[in-house]
Amino acid sequence: MPCFTRQNMGFYKPDPKAICVMALNCSDGKLALARSDASIEIWNLNHTPFMEKSFTSNLDNYSVEGLTWCSRRLFSTGHHGWLVELDLFTLTMKDKWSITGEAGTCLDSRNSQIVVGTEQGYLNIFQVTGTDTQFEKFLDKQEGRIVCVKFNPTGEFVVAGSLNAIRIWSVKTGHALHKMVLSRAEANKNTIVWCLEVLSDFTIVSGDSRGVVTFWDGKLGAQLESYHSQNSDIRAICINENEDSLYCSGINQLICNYEKVKVGSSIKWVKSVVRKIDEHDVRAMAVYHKKLYSAGTSGDLVCSYHPPKTVVKYAHIPYVQTASDGCPLILLRYSKHIEIWSFSCSRKNDSEHQTPRCPEGVDPQDKPRKLVKIQKVTKNSENINEVEGIICSCISDDGKWIFLATNSGFRLYALRVVDSHPKLQKINDLDDSNIACVKAAFNSKNNHLIVALSNGNLVVYDLEDGDPFISQRLECFKVHLTDTVSLLEVSSCGKYLAVADAESNIVTFTYTSDGYSRHLKLPKTTIPPTALHFQKHILKVSYANNVVYEFNIKSNEWTELCTARKKPSIQPPKKIRK
């Protein structure tokens, strides 16, 4: 039986970022969520939820106050005063358009139109056509900030919530049709409308700072009924697909469910279930396939449903990588910097356990200590230093090379320890380092760094002589992959390389003296892969439906673990053009 050594990494204390905004794409089962540090994540909810893609904050998109999907394209707005389109392939900002009214506070979309609410009370209407987006007009200005905004299901009207009032605009004329005034809990305290939902019959549901859920008739601009649901602010409301069940929550963490019932000839909303699922404030909620997804200050994405009564929390797990090959170094990634620590190793130099391999100057018996901290600092438009968010990072097996990628490009560092003092050397003039990348991995057996660029191709750097240079380029996009690279794995022997995307395309490469060549492409499924791992020449693939397949690279066939299931035929090996 193998022997393991356990280490307690009590020095790693990442700060979870609160989830502030959600946007659900029901047609594709994709949930976009934005955190307080302006990072954006795309979660796939079709099977077991997992984070499929992510965007880091940058100098151009440093604030996210609203998210929306329009024609399978993702848009955001924030305090920078722009409508921003995010590129789901390169995972960068694709384009941006100026909005009238300074800072953007909220947005919504319907059909091919997007409405953006602003700090000064303007509602900006944008038209999305094909691959282009154009400003169309802005509606009549209101006094004060627009806190939340929603289209009605037909896209003819816009409903906006603000201080003490809810207004309804006609998109065609640009004029306000109705103004519904809310009462105050205290004489000198404003009532803030935090969230809105609009049903297909033009019933408007609002949640406000009094903790009251109110139902309005959007056609008449009149109140239908109201319920004192919470003891504090209601920050989030969502409706299920059939529009017969409503959920609301906020600062006191209670999630209240209201069901639509028919009483005689009228319709009433009746409180059904009250549950406390989250431990902190709830900021956003969404319902998909009878499952409620809620998130807030805790930073966890929580999935709950009944029957049976089930709660599953998906924590924001930071990235941690140890330098393998017995080197007691560990890379700890935070949102805007990475740290390299050395930790003690209790193995003894005997016949069964070899002494760990360490960089010169690092003693494996020392107590854990931080060697270096790396971050990318860039000057913004106001000439103020800003720290960029990290896209990916990795460390070589021998701990001598460190890779760091941000939105402005990637860097390679050489780590040396002299007289117990770490020395970090940045490798300058690295080719293609100004191009954003999405994944990277070291092939320490062959002294290679493999980088997956945002354009869908792979670049191989030779690190043999300490002067890295590009030794090979591998074309993947449109040749083998149809989406951005989501997984990149190198075997411990250095002979095999596997690349996968979110569309379930998995391609393997083999390394020879002539470089990397395409070996074969695994059968494509409708379920996206979530993890890849090599065990010698066996490739293990984990899918989102919690099934693990094993494939033998040498014999080009499934292992005995998978023979019980019927498998599609394997595509014959085909070398790619170098």
Side-chain angles (χ1 to χ4, degrees):
M1 186 174 180
C3 179
F4 299 95
T5 301
R6 187 185 70 176
Q7 294 286 344
N8 183 16
M9 304 300 176
F11 47 83
Y12 186 36
K13 298 178 181 180
D15 182 21
K17 303 300 181 181
I19 298 175
C20 304
V21 186
M22 277 186 184
L24 177 63
N25 183 354
C26 294
S27 59
D28 295 334
K30 303 294 179 66
L31 178 67
L33 55 89
R35 296 185 180 271
S36 58
D37 61 349
S39 62
I40 299 174
E41 301 171 2
I42 311 295
W43 286 70
N44 191 321
L45 307 181
N46 290 311
H47 302 280
T48 300
F50 72 98
M51 189 174 67
E52 189 174 271
K53 301 176 181 179
S54 64
F55 299 81
T56 60
S57 60
N58 55 64
L59 302 182
D60 294 324
N61 194 22
Y62 58 85
S63 170
V64 179
E65 296 295 319
L67 282 173
T68 189
W69 294 90
C70 186
S71 303
R72 293 186 173 180
R73 296 158 63 182
L74 184 60
F75 295 85
S76 71
T77 190
H79 294 157
H80 42 62
W82 300 92
L83 173 65
V84 176
E85 181 178 1
L86 301 165
D87 194 322
L88 297 177
F89 178 74
T90 63
L91 303 183
T92 57
M93 187 176 67
K94 186 175 183 179
D95 208 346
K96 62 180 181 179
W97 301 267
S98 177
I99 58 178
T100 301
E102 295 186 352
T105 56
C106 53
L107 81 166
D108 190 35
S109 65
R110 184 68 62 181
N111 302 327
S112 60
Q113 286 186 320
I114 297 177
V115 58
V116 183
T118 63
E119 190 75 32
Q120 290 187 349
Y122 286 94
L123 287 170
N124 297 255
I125 303 295
F126 290 83
Q127 187 72 32
V128 180
T129 57
T131 58
D132 192 20
T133 301
Q134 296 180 350
F135 173 77
E136 186 174 334
K137 60 181 177 181
F138 56 83
L139 308 183
D140 289 346
K141 181 181 179 298
Q142 74 161 44
E143 293 296 329
R145 176 190 184 192
I146 295 177
V147 180
C148 53
V149 65
K150 284 288 182 180
F151 273 109
N152 77 318
T154 63
E156 300 177 86
F157 304 99
V158 171
V159 183
S162 57
L163 297 180
N164 304 315
I166 298 173
R167 293 175 175 85
I168 303 175
W169 278 268
S170 171
V171 176
K172 184 177 180 180
T173 64
H175 300 314
L177 303 178
H178 301 290
K179 177 182 178 181
M180 294 92 80
V181 180
L182 287 79
S183 61
R184 302 190 181 194
E186 299 178 13
N188 298 323
K189 186 176 181 180
N190 291 322
T191 298
I192 306 173
V193 181
W194 288 115
C195 47
L196 289 171
E197 283 291 344
V198 184
L199 308 186
S200 57
D201 61 354
F202 212 176
T203 298
I204 302 170
V205 187
S206 66
D208 56 49
S209 57
R210 302 171 300 168
V212 176
V213 176
T214 309
F215 295 84
W216 309 83
D217 188 334
K219 298 176 183 178
L220 302 176
Q223 178 177 322
L224 297 176
E225 51 187 327
S226 64
Y227 303 95
H228 196 281
S229 177
Q230 311 275 348
N231 294 325
S232 54
D233 300 47
I234 295 177
R235 299 299 301 269
I237 285 180
C238 65
I239 306 286
N240 68 343
E241 297 90 337
N242 299 326
E243 296 187 352
D244 57 4
S245 182
L246 177 145
Y247 297 89
C248 66
S249 186
I251 292 180
N252 67 349
Q253 306 110 42
L254 292 178
I255 296 180
C256 298
N257 177 220
Y258 289 85
E259 300 285 344
K260 182 190 288 187
V261 297
K262 188 172 183 181
V263 181
S265 58
S266 61
I267 299 297
K268 294 288 185 181
W269 288 86
V270 179
K271 182 182 285 189
S272 174
V273 179
V274 178
R275 299 182 65 185
K276 186 175 181 179
I277 297 174
D278 295 86
E279 299 177 356
H280 300 277
D281 301 1
V282 178
R283 299 288 185 86
M285 294 193 299
V287 177
Y288 181 70
H289 287 180
K290 299 181 180 181
K291 294 181 179 180
L292 175 65
Y293 294 89
S294 59
T297 309
S298 65
D300 298 340
L301 178 63
V302 183
C303 174
S304 59
Y305 57 91
H306 68 86
K309 195 173 182 180
T310 306
V311 176
V312 182
K313 294 186 178 182
Y314 300 95
H316 179 60
I317 302 176
Y319 179 84
V320 176
Q321 180 194 355
T322 57
S324 57
D325 201 14
C327 181
L329 294 182
I330 185 169
L331 182 151
L332 307 177
R333 186 200 297 177
Y334 296 81
S335 60
K336 293 189 177 182
H337 73 275
I338 61 174
E339 295 178 357
I340 307 298
W341 285 68
S342 65
F343 56 92
S344 61
C345 186
S346 59
R347 290 184 179 179
K348 297 180 180 180
N349 186 11
D350 53 27
S351 59
E352 295 183 0
H353 304 102
Q354 298 179 355
T355 302
R357 296 176 55 186
C358 308
E360 185 178 353
V362 176
D363 188 352
Q365 304 298 331
D366 287 344
K367 293 182 178 180
R369 67 186 180 102
K370 181 169 66 174
L371 299 180
V372 293
K373 174 183 176 180
I374 308 175
Q375 62 185 14
K376 176 69 180 299
V377 180
T378 307
K379 292 186 180 297
N380 60 16
S381 58
E382 299 177 355
N383 204 31
I384 301 176
N385 290 335
E386 295 284 349
V387 181
E388 295 188 25
I390 296 176
I391 297 176
C392 63
S393 59
C394 57
I395 185 172
S396 60
D397 290 345
D398 55 8
K400 295 181 179 180
W401 298 97
I402 302 171
F403 178 85
L404 177 67
T406 62
N407 285 287
S408 60
F410 55 86
R411 292 180 175 183
L412 183 63
Y413 299 88
L415 177 62
R416 305 292 184 266
V417 180
V418 180
D419 297 331
S420 299
H421 298 288
K423 301 293 183 182
L424 196 65
Q425 177 188 357
K426 176 189 172 184
I427 306 300
N428 296 313
D429 301 327
L430 196 64
D431 294 337
D432 289 352
S433 61
N434 59 336
I435 303 177
C437 76
V438 291
K439 293 291 179 181
F442 284 99
N443 186 341
S444 297
K445 293 296 182 181
N446 300 310
N447 287 322
H448 288 164
L449 168 64
I450 304 169
V451 180
L453 301 178
S454 59
N455 58 14
N457 297 326
L458 301 180
V459 177
V460 181
Y461 291 90
D462 194 324
L463 312 175
E464 183 68 32
D465 299 326
D467 186 15
F469 64 92
I470 296 179
S471 61
Q472 191 177 5
R473 297 179 185 271
L474 302 174
E475 297 181 3
C476 290
F477 182 59
K478 295 183 179 179
V479 179
H480 308 298
L481 307 179
T482 58
D483 200 353
T484 184
V485 175
S486 60
L487 299 172
L488 177 64
E489 183 70 15
V490 179
S491 63
S492 57
C493 63
K495 296 180 180 179
Y496 307 109
L497 167 67
V499 181
D501 64 10
E503 299 295 329
S504 301
N505 296 296
I506 304 175
V507 183
T508 60
F509 298 84
T510 56
Y511 177 75
T512 62
S513 58
D514 296 329
Y516 294 89
S517 60
R518 191 255 199 187
H519 182 62
L520 58 86
K521 183 176 182 179
L522 270 65
K524 184 176 180 180
T525 67
T526 57
I527 303 171
T530 57
L532 300 175
H533 179 70
F534 278 103
Q535 187 176 8
K536 296 183 179 179
H537 58 276
I538 303 297
L539 175 62
K540 300 176 184 290
V541 184
S542 174
Y543 289 93
N545 60 348
N546 298 328
V547 175
V548 178
Y549 289 150
E550 288 186 348
F551 188 80
N552 192 317
I553 301 297
K554 288 185 176 180
S555 61
N556 294 352
E557 62 182 4
W558 302 103
T559 64
E560 296 180 357
L561 180 66
C562 307
T563 53
R565 302 187 181 94
K566 186 178 179 180
K567 301 293 180 298
S569 59
I570 301 296
Q571 297 182 8
K574 180 181 178 182
K575 293 185 178 180
I576 70 170
R577 185 179 60 185
K578 297 182 182 178

